[in-house]
Amino acid sequence: MIEHNKRDEVEDVAIYGGLTGVQFVYAGNSVLLGYLMSLGLTPFSIVIFFTSSTFLIVSPFALYFERNKWPKQLTLKLIIQLILISFGGVTLFQSLFFKGINLTSPAVATAMPNLAPGLIFIIAWACRLEKVALSCLYSKVKIGGTLLCVLGALTMSLMHSTVSPKTTSMFSAPTHDAIFDKDKITGCIYLMAAVLVLSTNVVLQAATLGDFPAPMSLCAITSLIGVIITVMVQLVEDGDLQQGWPLLSVKHLLAFSLLEGAVGGACVSFNGWALKKRGPVLVSMFGPIGTVVTVVLSFITLGDTISFGSYLYECSLGGMLVMFTGLYFVLWAKGKEVICSDEDGSESEWVVERSLLC
């Protein structure tokens, strides 16, 4: 019993620490993507090159470590799930997300996905992947925390879509005058659409892991299918494969692609494992960490404006704090909900998730 508890504690530390590290990687990735598109690289080209690298790097590890976990037969249901995950997670989500980055900024792009917990919570609840006992105090706290996280993300995203006409320096003077940037509004619409696709895709991925309990293999297969779908979409939309890298050498592009493939594949595989262990809502709740890191990295590397003392900056900071408050409420409630479930004789939420996903 003691050994089992220690193993669970180690697993919790690995999951929470790993999900935090993944957000740092995603933050750096958003800044890198913003830089690459500023050099003229098109969103479709980024999807094709980076996802191809992910497939090439992850496939050998999936073959070696997870071959015995592959399903014995490929059912029609599993094929449809793989195609939907590939189209949604690779082609549609990444294309919309990259277009959103190009029109806004890396900071906005990582702030907007913090809307996902609310959407994922609703979708997972509707699909019975997330159990909520409304009579339990901790379930109510979890719902309230999710709403706080969504509210904070909306506030921060809105403030980042607003610019001050009086801003003339990196650290601008306080002002209450603000106008909306049309390009940033359009970019935010792209990002909101991407988040909706992402939310649905995360829940679908969690359900698919029940029939295909191999996160690395799922990442590799969906990456390959996603590349094929993306190439087909670009051929239909543009008539040819436009690379669009006038200011970027092929050598640097390949280096960036291999780096993204290795790091991105590791992050996606880890997220898949965490999804299987703890469910989709917990994984999505770590998004605010990536937002904060991206704001700092964008200021350091890209020179994004931080208006200390301004009304917009204060609202953005307030939204960030609200997101973190919601995050910690949900994490606390998810741990305490097990105790509440034991008292009323029902199964705990994560036990139900594991019975569905394992």
Side-chain angles (χ1 to χ4, degrees):
M1 183 67 179
I2 296 178
E3 182 179 351
H4 178 73
N5 291 335
K6 288 183 178 180
R7 186 167 64 250
D8 287 342
E9 290 178 0
V10 172
E11 186 176 273
D12 287 341
V13 171
I15 290 176
Y16 295 148
L19 290 175
T20 302
V22 165
Q23 292 305 316
F24 275 82
V25 173
Y26 283 166
N29 184 60
S30 296
V31 175
L32 175 62
L33 290 174
Y35 170 71
L36 292 178
M37 282 187 286
S38 70
L39 298 179
L41 201 61
T42 64
F44 278 134
S45 298
I46 295 176
V47 174
I48 293 172
F49 277 93
F50 283 17
T51 309
S52 298
S53 299
T54 299
F55 169 74
L56 293 175
I57 293 173
V58 175
S59 295
F61 294 96
L63 182 64
Y64 181 79
F65 290 106
E66 297 182 340
R67 189 172 182 177
N68 59 340
K69 297 181 181 179
W70 293 353
K72 295 182 179 180
Q73 65 179 42
L74 201 60
T75 63
L76 179 60
K77 174 187 174 183
L78 182 58
I79 293 175
I80 294 176
Q81 287 176 327
L82 293 175
I83 293 176
L84 289 176
I85 291 174
S86 303
F87 175 70
V90 176
T91 305
L92 191 56
F93 166 70
Q94 293 194 53
S95 299
L96 291 171
F97 188 74
F98 294 160
K99 289 179 180 179
I101 293 180
N102 197 30
L103 291 174
T104 57
S105 68
V108 180
T110 52
M112 192 65 75
N114 290 294
L115 299 173
L119 296 175
I120 292 175
F121 183 82
I122 295 173
I123 297 172
W125 189 2
C127 296
R128 297 184 179 180
L129 291 176
E130 194 77 19
K131 184 177 179 181
V132 177
L134 295 178
S135 60
C136 177
L137 172 63
Y138 302 119
S139 293
K140 295 177 182 178
V141 172
K142 187 175 66 172
I143 294 174
T146 301
L147 293 176
L148 282 177
C149 197
V150 172
L151 177 62
L154 281 171
T155 301
M156 187 174 182
S157 300
L158 181 63
M159 292 303 103
H160 272 292
S161 299
T162 311
V163 295
S164 171
K166 296 183 179 181
T167 298
T168 57
S169 62
M170 180 69 68
F171 298 95
S172 61
T175 176
H176 291 270
D177 298 326
I179 58 174
F180 287 102
D181 188 306
K182 293 182 179 180
D183 287 339
K184 287 188 176 182
I185 292 176
T186 303
C188 284
I189 293 175
Y190 277 125
L191 292 173
M192 290 177 68
V195 170
L196 179 60
V197 173
L198 172 65
S199 302
T200 306
N201 197 71
V202 167
V203 176
L204 179 60
Q205 184 181 355
T208 304
L209 285 169
D211 299 324
F212 197 171
M216 286 190 294
S217 301
L218 183 63
C219 173
I221 293 174
T222 54
S223 295
L224 177 61
I225 299 175
V227 168
I228 297 173
I229 295 176
T230 304
V231 170
M232 295 172 60
V233 170
Q234 184 170 5
L235 287 174
V236 172
E237 184 175 315
D238 300 328
D240 60 352
L241 294 176
Q242 299 179 0
Q243 291 79 25
W245 57 67
L247 301 178
L248 190 67
S249 66
V250 177
K251 180 177 67 175
H252 288 138
L253 178 60
L254 291 176
F256 285 134
S257 299
L258 291 175
L259 177 62
E260 167 67 19
V263 177
C267 290
V268 171
S269 298
F270 181 85
N271 271 348
W273 176 74
L275 276 171
K276 181 183 175 184
K277 291 292 184 179
R278 292 294 185 271
V281 174
L282 178 63
V283 173
S284 67
M285 294 306 298
F286 280 78
I289 298 174
T291 301
V292 177
V293 178
T294 303
V295 171
V296 175
L297 288 178
S298 297
F299 168 69
I300 296 174
T301 61
L302 301 180
D304 282 2
T305 301
I306 299 179
S307 303
F308 289 108
S310 71
Y311 172 74
L312 297 179
Y313 180 78
E314 290 172 355
C315 290
S316 297
L317 182 60
M320 186 187 304
L321 293 176
V322 170
M323 282 192 295
F324 272 102
T325 302
L327 168 65
Y328 295 132
F329 276 168
V330 171
L331 294 179
W332 175 80
K334 285 182 73 69
K336 294 295 184 179
E337 201 168 27
V338 177
I339 301 176
C340 179
S341 300
D342 290 340
E343 290 177 351
D344 61 18
S346 62
E347 292 180 285
S348 66
E349 171 200 356
W350 72 273
V351 170
V352 174
E353 289 175 351
R354 293 183 71 175
S355 66
L356 287 171
L357 301 180
C358 297

